[in-house]
Amino acid sequence: MLNQFFTNGTMLYSRSVTGWEEAVDLVTQPLLSRETIRPQYVDAIKKSISSPGGTYIDLGYGIALAHARPEMGVVKTSLAVLHVSQPFLLADSPEHRITTLFCLAAESNERHLELMKELASLLSDARWRQQLESVSNEEELRCVFTGEEDNS
Amino acid sequence: MKFLAVCSTGLGSSFITQLNVEKALRELGVQGIETDHSDLGSVSQGDADVIVVGRDIAEAASGLGDVIVLDSLIDMKEITQKVSSALERHGITVPEKEQKQ
């Protein structure tokens, strides 16, 4: 299921970013270029993050799930992820250091059930999180999500 | 009895939380508990016995009754422990409690 969403180009690695807004720009880029979201979705995410309490998308362990509502510009249910080695601060908040930022675009509240199930099960796995934390390039990131061995 | 996971948009963080609450209930060996997720704007007191939220919206959710506040939405240890305590607060026996704590 996740493999269907994480195709080439939707799993990104960067050593560092200048801040959370650049992280949002980077992680939404693959979805924009595939036209599964409209540019307004990116603005909606940024607005949501910078609003009071907007850091609720921080799931813990440096992982955040950026998203906005379906009607804010989702064309097709899709997912992208950005991993950085150097943490950035979500909404510039020192309490929210992030190294993995997902962008979820869901067409409706119900359609993404299976996707969320798989994502929740991966993210809640402490051993998997440890693997994720050590990722230092795109190929390693791909392997963490596909479960394949890194042959590079 | 019903657990309701709540976040601002009602489809990302709260959904993950609901799925993890369900996982915790399975691990605790408790059956027949209802779970759901929703957005903060459409929840009112009495919609569920226990509301589950992340720390960032704890304040906004404080008027909703019995509220569990999670530091992390993906820390199964924390979730299982807090769900277990909530079940006991509501008079529900937790079969696997000993192994989990």
Side-chain angles (χ1 to χ4, degrees):
Chain A
M1 184 74 190
L2 276 181
N3 289 356
Q4 184 190 323
F5 286 96
F6 283 131
T7 49
N8 277 342
T10 59
M11 294 175 280
L12 311 170
Y13 172 82
S14 175
R15 216 186 74 76
S16 64
V17 287
T18 54
W20 67 270
E21 285 179 295
E22 189 190 5
V24 171
D25 285 333
L26 285 175
V27 78
T28 50
Q29 194 51 53
L31 305 182
L32 279 174
S33 64
R34 284 166 176 74
E35 297 182 348
T36 62
I37 58 168
R38 297 196 181 93
Q40 68 179 99
Y41 195 68
V42 182
D43 299 331
I45 286 176
K46 287 183 181 172
K47 203 177 156 199
S48 164
I49 291 174
S50 55
S51 338
T55 49
Y56 77 92
I57 61 163
D58 179 353
L59 305 175
Y61 299 97
I63 300 170
L65 181 65
H67 63 284
R69 297 204 53 82
E71 64 272 18
M72 303 304 271
V74 176
V75 179
K76 192 164 180 277
T77 298
S78 48
L79 188 68
V81 62
L82 166 74
H83 182 80
V84 294
S85 291
Q86 206 151 25
F88 62 88
L89 304 180
L90 193 64
D92 302 322
S93 162
E95 285 174 28
H96 297 280
R97 290 162 67 88
I98 302 298
T99 48
T100 304
L101 180 69
F102 288 90
C103 176
L104 168 71
E107 276 169 79
S108 73
N109 283 356
E110 304 309 324
R111 292 273 300 275
H112 63 308
L113 174 69
E114 288 305 317
L115 166 65
M116 293 301 279
K117 271 189 180 166
E118 256 188 65
L119 200 54
S121 121
L122 266 188
L123 300 182
S124 309
D125 181 340
R127 268 180 307 178
W128 183 84
R129 287 197 303 255
Q130 235 167 22
Q131 285 180 356
L132 179 67
E133 204 44 48
S134 65
V135 161
S136 61
N137 59 53
E138 236 151 70
E139 176 60 16
E140 286 174 12
L141 186 63
R142 195 183 65 80
C143 292
V144 165
F145 281 101
T146 58
E148 287 170 28
E149 294 289 317
D150 184 1
N151 297 319
S152 63
Chain B
M1 180 177 179
K2 183 176 178 178
F3 282 84
L4 181 62
V6 177
C7 74
S8 304
T9 44
L11 53 82
S13 307
S14 58
F15 202 166
I16 287 199
T17 308
Q18 179 198 352
L19 294 166
N20 283 337
V21 166
E22 285 173 1
K23 193 174 177 183
L25 290 167
R26 281 197 299 275
E27 284 179 13
L28 292 165
V30 181
Q31 288 176 332
I33 305 288
E34 217 184 315
T35 64
D36 204 353
H37 67 280
S38 183
D39 68 283
L40 194 55
S42 51
V43 183
S44 41
Q45 193 167 4
D47 284 355
D49 301 282
V50 180
I51 304 286
V52 191
V53 298
R55 57 188 169 133
D56 293 291
I57 59 163
E59 208 174 311
S62 60
L64 294 172
D66 188 354
V67 180
I68 294 182
V69 179
L70 299 172
D71 292 324
S72 164
L73 309 181
I74 51 177
D75 181 349
M76 282 315 296
K77 202 174 155 192
E78 182 194 8
I79 294 172
T80 308
Q81 203 172 54
K82 289 182 176 171
V83 165
S84 174
S85 310
L87 288 166
E88 292 190 320
R89 275 203 299 281
H90 289 263
I92 291 178
T93 316
V94 182
E96 306 291 334
K97 188 191 162 213
E98 294 308 314
Q99 290 94 308
K100 297 293 164 197
Q101 289 184 356

